[in-house]
């Protein structure tokens, strides 16, 4: 992408409304624009990151055996009356009447609707296990939306729903998602720690929040330091292997980890002091096993191998992509801007032409840009007519992992500089060597 | 994908509510489920087609120079009061109050919001031309939603918005989208004919609808037969070439084409009888040049090269992906089901195991399935324990372009059948040859 053809509205000054660094950087880097309180437009740079986050989520959901569909945002109130949550949900639910005066709502979550999909079609245990997910907008009318897309009213959620014949099957479904979540967050450069959680209004008796550590996190968390070194399940994880997945779950729940809500101070203090971690965290995922709460109320039953009807056991599993983007920034930035992990970077590399209009610089940059594009590298070419200092600041701000810097002096001797955004290390290479480095690394 | 792990709720009987063939087939093939009047869940098979349709739209938008962002679904009423459309829009606009009693609405289109994005950031002609698009849900509270996702209330729309310094630039932006649309529909196996259209509530003085011919189309259309043979702009189309794009526009508007609204009977009858085409059509895209209608009302101005302020000229360009899916089916089906063009097929091929559980059949199918997956073919493997007749009916219904049929007799001599879904032609090949055929064709 040529920057001259892209839409990257960088802000020069720090926006006053931003209380936390990710919000400030997302506004400054032209990633988002607030449209109404807690409602955002994702500008092109932000959209690219969001797409990469969604792609990783989708790959790991599919790998674990979940199947994607897409439920609508608007739901009929009737469904929620069936489960009993219509009255219970409170003011966070955005209630709407259509032109026929029918009561509708903007879905804050989809347990009811997916249970309706399930009961409409699935009649036999032979069609189980089943895990259906979608990545769809939700609306929760928070009284105090804040921190940009970290806590917005209209937000994107990946929500998966598992259906099993019995508790045993449902626990395996839970372990599948548990492992898939560890892989998902790890691929985004995050270490997420699963913490036993309260099930709240979703219900059920087994639930974990996945929390990443960040100074700006909204919750206080307490855990054993071992979590920082546990192995992430590999790409070869067999999601059919009941014992194998249970072992992953057991390992990752073998040490103390709790949010302040569930904190057990004596248990935490029993850990040797040097192994305790007390920090702030950001919730990036939440999984629930809630048994037959919705299936019972809504009549989601299948015929079992015994010929009898069984109410299915369910779980639900959420990840917030529009919240993950700022969470990644909270975990990875410096005073100059964002430092994207390669897997979610809006661009893997940026080519900076220090003197656009200079024939030799233009030619060198075009050559590098073309070669990277051909090799499938997601590259941004800063071809704008701006002074070099402004270009460097923009490149650092938007955080592409690698910068290729071409100035008249270097180009005259066939050389460019490569700068690693994270370490700041610079290296001078021939143009050919720079191309090789960036394309072979891919 | 193994069918035993997929979620494909096939209906055996024709649903009564479906008036047109695409709606009937989408319900029968388990592509969608109605959740409320005019509000649908896209089940996994439908979601796969929708994703492929969106991917083609996105590629062609990007190729033409448009840049993707994502605006929210909910908008504040204020924006629409600025343009004057809040009161004018009528009951199709779903009006909402949030918990603070602020008037909001579920966006039926985004001219106002994109103009707000533009005016917030763009101040100079140097940042033009600009074309921003998103693929986002819309809601229009139609009094009579019908024909499934062809005319639903909650639907997906790709809407692009162009910004130019003057009319001349805007007309070039229009021509870019004109050419991009021809390419987009053609890649989906559709011949779309641009027809001069009324601009309606969007406003402006230049507008074309892209119409595909189908017996079930809602509008009567009249055009010259030459349209059936005009060349589609190639993959090498230069979207910067003003004259080249104008030539494409001129060519594709050189013959008579009109919907009944804009029909000029004497002009049509002046065409020699054998060259006239009078048919029914489905609108799949609509483009508008509307000048300064929104930019004037909302103050979207830039500084020109002359140092003065100029109100920008705008256009908007819509495609309905959730309507395109049934439109493709209307254009391509037979009495047994859907016949997908390869580019939008949910699966490019289906491997049918005529005797699941039979050791030789299972081995042959696994071998073929694995080889196709490895070669990147999007393949469904019907590994279910069902009788062959039911499997054949399902395969025809869901419409994968190629079927690979493995039965005990053939497999015993190392052979399988390949069936072309469209022509019905069958061919017996060795397993190796079948794999080669399907992977080399890719």
């Amino acid at each position: 992408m040529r920057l001259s053809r892209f839409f990257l509205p960088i802000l020069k000054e720090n926006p006053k409304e931003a209380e936390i660094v990710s919000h400030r950087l997302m506004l400054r880097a032209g990633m988002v624009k607030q449209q109404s309180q807690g409602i955002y437009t994702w500008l092109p740079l932000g959209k690219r990151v969001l797409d990469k986050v969604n792609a990783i989520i989708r790959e790991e959901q599919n790998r674990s055996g979940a199947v994607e569909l897409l439920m609508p945002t608007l739901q009929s109130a009737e469904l929620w009356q069936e489960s009993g949550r219509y009255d219970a949900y409170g003011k966070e639910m955005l209630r709407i009447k259509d032109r026929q005066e029918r009561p509708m709502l903007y879905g804050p979550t989809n347990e009811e609707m997916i249970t309706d999909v399930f009961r409409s079609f699935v009649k036999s245990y032979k069609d189980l296990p089943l895990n259906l997910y979608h990545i769809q907008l939700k609306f929760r009318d928070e009284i105090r939306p804040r921190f940009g897309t970290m806590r917005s009213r209209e937000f994107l959620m990946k929500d998966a729903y598992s259906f099993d014949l019995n508790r045993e099957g449902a626990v395996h479904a839970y372990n599948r998602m548990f492992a898939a979540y560890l892989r998902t967050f790890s691929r985004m450069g995050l270490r997420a720690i699963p913490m036993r959680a309260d099930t709240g209004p979703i219900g059920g008796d087994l639930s974990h929040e996945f929390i990443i550590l960040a100074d700006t996190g909204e919750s206080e968390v307490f855990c054993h330091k071992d979590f920082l070194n546990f192995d992430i399940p590999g790409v070869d994880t067999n999601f059919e292997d009941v014992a194998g997945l249970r072992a992953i779950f057991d390992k990752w729940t073998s040490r103390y980890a709790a949010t302040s809500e569930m904190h057990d101070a004596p248990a935490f203090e029993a850990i040797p002091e040097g192994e305790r971690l007390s920090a702030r965290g950001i919730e990036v995922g939440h999984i629930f096993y809630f048994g037959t709460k919705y299936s019972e109320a809504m009549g989601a039953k299948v015929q079992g191998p015994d010929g009898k009807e069984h109410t299915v056991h369910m779980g639900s599993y959420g990840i917030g992509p529009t919240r993950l983007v700022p969470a990644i920034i909270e975990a990875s930035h410096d005073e100059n801007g964002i430092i994207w992990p390669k897997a979610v970077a809006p661009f893997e590399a940026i080519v900076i032409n220090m003197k656009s209009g200079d024939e030799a610089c233009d030619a060198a940059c075009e050559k590098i840009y073309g070669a990277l594009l051909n090799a499938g590298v997601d590259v941004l070419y800063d071809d704008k007519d701006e002074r070099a200092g402004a270009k460097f600041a923009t490149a650092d701000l938007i955080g592409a992992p690698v910068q290729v810097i071409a100035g008249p002096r270097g180009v005259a001797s066939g050389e460019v500089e490569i700068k690693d955004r994270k370490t700041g290390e610079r290296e001078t290479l021939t143009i050919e060597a720079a191309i090789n480095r960036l394309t072979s690394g891919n």
Side-chain angles (χ1 to χ4, degrees), chain A:
Chain A
M1 176 65 69
R2 287 168 198 276
L3 186 51
S4 60
R5 311 254 172 96
F6 195 56
F7 180 57
L8 184 69
I10 297 288
L11 300 188
K12 296 248 162 67
E13 280 163 33
N14 270 329
K16 277 181 228 136
E17 71 265 37
E19 297 170 55
I20 60 172
V21 66
S22 58
H23 188 192
R24 196 161 67 236
L25 289 173
M26 288 177 76
L27 291 171
R28 285 202 48 217
M31 290 180 63
V32 292
K33 173 190 186 304
Q34 179 169 287
Q35 297 294 157
S36 311
Q37 203 196 6
I39 301 181
Y40 287 83
T41 286
W42 286 76
L43 298 169
L45 194 77
K47 177 65 165 57
R48 292 177 77 95
V49 180
L50 191 57
D51 285 348
K52 293 201 178 180
V53 164
N54 285 337
I56 291 173
I57 292 171
R58 193 169 270 133
E59 276 179 33
E60 296 301 332
Q61 290 292 297
N62 294 346
R63 189 193 310 280
S64 81
V67 178
E68 188 175 9
L69 43 59
L70 183 65
M71 290 177 272
T73 59
L74 295 196
Q75 308 187 13
S76 77
E78 276 171 40
L79 270 182
W80 289 68
Q81 283 154 351
E82 277 194 64
S83 74
R85 285 208 292 181
Y86 188 65
D87 295 324
Y89 212 94
K91 288 201 163 187
E92 276 195 15
M93 179 187 278
L94 187 67
R95 291 155 212 258
I96 301 170
K97 287 214 166 139
D98 72 4
R99 69 189 292 172
Q100 320 274 16
E101 295 293 317
R102 281 175 296 216
M104 313 279 295
L105 56 98
Y106 199 123
T109 175
N110 285 60
E111 280 80 8
E112 284 79 358
M113 192 177 271
I114 199 72
T115 305
D116 177 57
V117 169
F118 181 90
R119 73 180 172 185
S120 300
F121 298 119
V122 184
K123 306 296 176 194
S124 162
Y125 75 96
K126 290 180 187 163
D127 294 322
L128 303 183
L130 188 61
N131 189 324
L132 299 171
Y133 78 98
H134 70 163
I135 300 180
Q136 176 62 294
L137 294 167
K138 309 286 186 288
F139 196 91
R140 291 184 193 166
D141 204 354
E142 305 240 8
I143 189 86
R144 203 184 150 208
R146 58 190 170 144
F147 303 152
T149 66
M150 186 80 88
R151 183 175 281 280
S152 55
R153 294 198 294 166
E154 183 172 324
F155 61 98
L156 208 53
M157 189 158 99
K158 184 290 297 180
D159 36 329
Y161 302 90
S162 65
F163 299 89
D164 286 272
L165 187 61
N166 50 37
R167 183 183 167 101
E168 191 188 343
V171 167
H172 176 54
Y174 189 91
N175 292 344
R176 282 183 180 201
M177 280 289 141
F178 190 95
Y181 274 36
L182 291 173
R183 282 190 51 74
T184 301
F185 300 125
S186 168
R187 286 185 59 190
M188 297 175 192
L190 300 174
R191 171 134 309 228
I193 301 171
M195 303 198 181
R196 192 66 187 255
D198 193 17
T199 56
I202 299 279
D205 63 358
L206 176 61
S207 176
H208 284 85
E209 286 179 352
F210 287 75
I211 305 264
I212 61 158
L213 306 181
D215 293 342
T216 49
E218 43 189 353
S219 31
E220 230 184 321
V221 297
F222 307 88
C223 68
H224 196 290
K225 278 193 175 160
D226 280 0
F227 278 107
L228 304 181
N229 300 310
F230 281 165
D231 287 340
I232 300 293
V235 68
D236 56 347
T237 301
N238 177 1
F239 285 87
E240 305 296 313
D241 176 2
V242 174
L245 289 191
R246 172 174 301 270
I248 292 169
F249 175 85
D250 287 346
K251 173 83 178 176
W252 280 85
T253 53
S254 64
R255 296 284 185 278
Y256 185 87
T259 60
S260 54
E261 277 174 343
M262 302 285 279
H263 188 43
D264 174 354
F268 183 62
E269 278 149 27
I271 302 170
E273 201 174 344
E275 296 166 28
R276 286 183 221 156
L277 199 60
S278 162
R280 299 199 70 81
I282 300 170
E283 182 202 324
V284 289
H286 201 160
I287 63 177
F288 299 88
Y289 163 66
F290 45 70
T292 58
K293 176 175 170 173
Y294 300 92
S295 49
E296 183 69 47
M298 297 181 65
K301 296 172 190 168
V302 295
Q303 193 177 48
D306 55 4
K308 291 183 189 151
E309 283 206 322
H310 296 256
T311 299
V312 294
H313 284 243
M314 292 174 59
S316 72
Y317 314 89
I319 292 180
T322 43
R323 150 170 277 231
L324 264 172
V325 176
I328 293 165
I329 296 174
E330 291 292 336
S332 185
H333 66 272
D334 64 16
E335 64 283 10
N336 297 320
I338 305 166
I339 302 170
W340 291 113
K342 185 177 172 187
V344 295
F347 297 100
E348 296 165 61
I350 179 169
V351 176
I352 303 172
N353 187 338
M354 283 174 69
K355 201 170 177 190
S356 293
D358 174 272
E359 207 171 312
C361 280
D362 289 356
C365 287
E366 291 288 346
K367 181 175 176 178
I368 296 165
Y369 175 61
L372 297 189
L373 277 188
N374 275 339
V377 178
D378 221 343
V379 58
L380 180 66
Y381 169 27
D382 187 346
D383 60 343
K384 291 187 85 171
D385 181 19
E386 262 194 314
R387 59 186 182 79
K391 290 190 175 191
F392 294 150
T394 294
D396 280 355
L397 177 60
I398 68 174
V402 183
Q403 302 174 6
V404 183
I405 304 165
R409 210 175 320 175
V411 163
S413 45
E415 288 176 340
V416 292
E417 261 192 319
I418 301 273
K419 176 179 156 187
D420 182 299
R421 172 66 184 88
K422 187 169 184 177
T423 63
E425 279 166 26
R426 288 156 171 271
E427 196 178 343
T428 301
L429 291 174
T430 65
I431 292 172
E432 301 303 335
I435 291 172
N436 281 340
R437 173 80 61 86
L438 280 152
T439 54
S440 66
N442 222 39

